[in-house]
């Protein structure tokens, strides 16, 4: 049987173990200092060995709220660094999002295309939804291939995949055409397994409570739109 020594733990496991240990109230000040010093050594080593830069495929999925919101935080950071960004909305679009108005202040850096016509239960026209999703994907490919754009957000594309408006094989083939340093974010619940497997960063938002489901509270400005 092996011992749980630092040499036998990977960095994540060792950091987790050190966190558990420093939470113990029985540690002396000196023991606490040594534990935190070791944690810093592990973290510094990981950072030193990390790859300097890589274009990421990022998936925000799950039934919880905040998938697009988290992606827009990355958009804002990219704009702050002076990068060019493209946003393509696959499902939303029947209403004018406040984000689009805000991002108009960076109109020289951002391209925003709301190419859906609203949620699927609003359109009630599968053929038109298919056409809109196809057009949105073709527009997405333009930006995915364009080296001038540092970040591309494909908002609610996972819904289009889940509804079979797009084929996951086509999307994966398109993502393979991106320049090496470009980041692409794909949002929406129900991300297919093949996309999750291909992605570099996957976050699943878990629904615990929601004001509409639990209290009948409608979407509110500044919160949902």
């Amino acid at each position: 049987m092996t011992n749980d020594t630092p040499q036998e733990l990977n960095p994540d496991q060792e950091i987790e173990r050190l966190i558990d240990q420093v939470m113990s109230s029985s540690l002396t000040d000196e023991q606490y200092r040594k534990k935190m010093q070791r944690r810093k050594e592990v973290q510094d080593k990981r950072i030193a060995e990390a790859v300097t830069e890589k274009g990421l495929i990022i998936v925000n999925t799950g039934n919880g709220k905040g998938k697009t919101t988290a992606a827009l935080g990355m958009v804002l950071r990219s704009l702050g660094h002076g990068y060019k960004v493209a946003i393509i909305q696959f499902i939303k679009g029947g209403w004018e999002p406040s984000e689009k108005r805000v991002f108009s202040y960076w109109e020289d850096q951002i391209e925003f295309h709301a190419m859906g016509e609203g949620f699927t239960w609003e359109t009630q026209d599968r053929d038109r939804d298919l056409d809109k999703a196809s057009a949105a994907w073709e527009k997405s490919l333009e930006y995915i291939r364009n080296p001038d754009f540092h970040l591309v957000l494909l908002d609610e594309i996972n819904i289009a995949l889940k509804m079979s408006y797009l084929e996951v094989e086509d999307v994966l083939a398109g993502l393979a055409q991106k320049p090496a340093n470009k980041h692409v974010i794909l949002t929406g619940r129900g991300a297919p397994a093949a996309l999750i497997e291909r992605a570099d960063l996957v976050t699943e938002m878990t629904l615990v409570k929601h004001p509409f489901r639990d209290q009948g509270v409608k979407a509110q400005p500044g919160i949902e739109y």
Side-chain angles (χ1 to χ4, degrees), residues 176-196:
Q177 299 176 44
K178 75 177 186 67
N181 63 344
K182 182 189 294 290
H183 306 299
V184 181
I185 312 174
L186 306 94
T187 72
R189 63 180 64 194
L195 177 59
I196 290 174

Side-chain angles (χ1 to χ4, degrees), residues 53-57 150 178-184 198 200:
E53 185 176 354
K54 177 190 176 184
L56 302 177
I57 294 174
H150 184 75
K178 75 177 186 67
N181 63 344
K182 182 189 294 290
H183 306 299
V184 181
R198 174 63 186 85
D200 301 289

